[in-house]
Amino acid sequence: MFRLFRGPKADPVAALTLMDSVHAAPDQNPPTQRAERRRALPSEQDRKLTTQARQWLRSLAARERPLALCSTYPRLANRLATAWEDPVQTEAIFDELMIDDRGGRLGFAPLVANELMRLHQLHEKRSKLHGNS
């Protein structure tokens, strides 16, 4: 999923690279979607982690770092990193991920889903500690 440079001082966040991922075959009968509900195709910026996202990853404890998420869905990781200090905005992103309002979503691979659940739990703990519940 992601490559890590080997060596005593290797930084797994700095070495994180997007790998070719296997995409599900398109649905033969996709749900009808209004044009404004469709997600735009990812730009080159959406295909790699931003500096802010890399800093966010480094700020998390090693066991909490969502490396599979960052490798597979850098656009989503960038959004979470940008919103992380704003509890309301972060919760809105998690709600968006958990509720399929576009129809036909296949969900995340188990490893990514587990990382998202751990991040959500961390977010909830931080919100309670800061009185934002």
Side-chain angles (χ1 to χ4, degrees):
M1 233 182 275
F2 48 88
R3 296 181 189 142
L4 300 178
F5 293 111
R6 302 289 181 216
K9 292 188 176 184
D11 181 356
V13 175
L16 192 62
T17 60
L18 179 64
M19 301 295 288
D20 293 335
S21 58
V22 178
H23 297 284
D27 190 353
Q28 297 301 322
N29 297 309
T32 304
Q33 297 178 350
R34 295 173 51 187
E36 65 268 13
R37 304 281 310 164
R38 293 184 189 135
R39 185 175 75 191
L41 292 176
S43 68
E44 187 60 36
Q45 181 69 18
D46 292 334
R47 294 180 188 173
K48 61 183 180 179
L49 291 179
T50 62
T51 300
Q52 183 179 16
R54 290 177 187 278
Q55 290 171 345
W56 169 68
L57 274 176
R58 287 184 182 104
S59 75
L60 299 172
R63 69 183 178 283
E64 295 169 339
R65 291 179 183 164
L67 298 178
L69 171 75
C70 292
S71 177
T72 311
Y73 301 100
R75 176 158 114 170
L76 177 53
N78 292 338
R79 284 185 64 205
L80 280 168
T82 299
W84 194 250
E85 295 303 319
D86 181 339
V88 173
Q89 190 176 8
T90 302
E91 189 62 31
I93 291 171
F94 282 118
D95 286 348
E96 222 177 272
L97 294 172
M98 292 180 208
I99 301 167
D100 181 8
D101 61 354
R102 291 192 306 213
R105 285 188 175 174
L106 299 175
F108 296 101
L111 182 58
V112 173
N114 287 336
E115 288 179 346
L116 285 168
M117 285 189 290
R118 279 197 324 267
L119 280 174
H120 190 250
Q121 290 170 347
L122 177 62
H123 161 70
E124 287 181 331
K125 282 183 194 175
R126 287 171 15 108
S127 291
K128 288 178 184 175
L129 285 175
H130 297 290
N132 297 323
S133 54

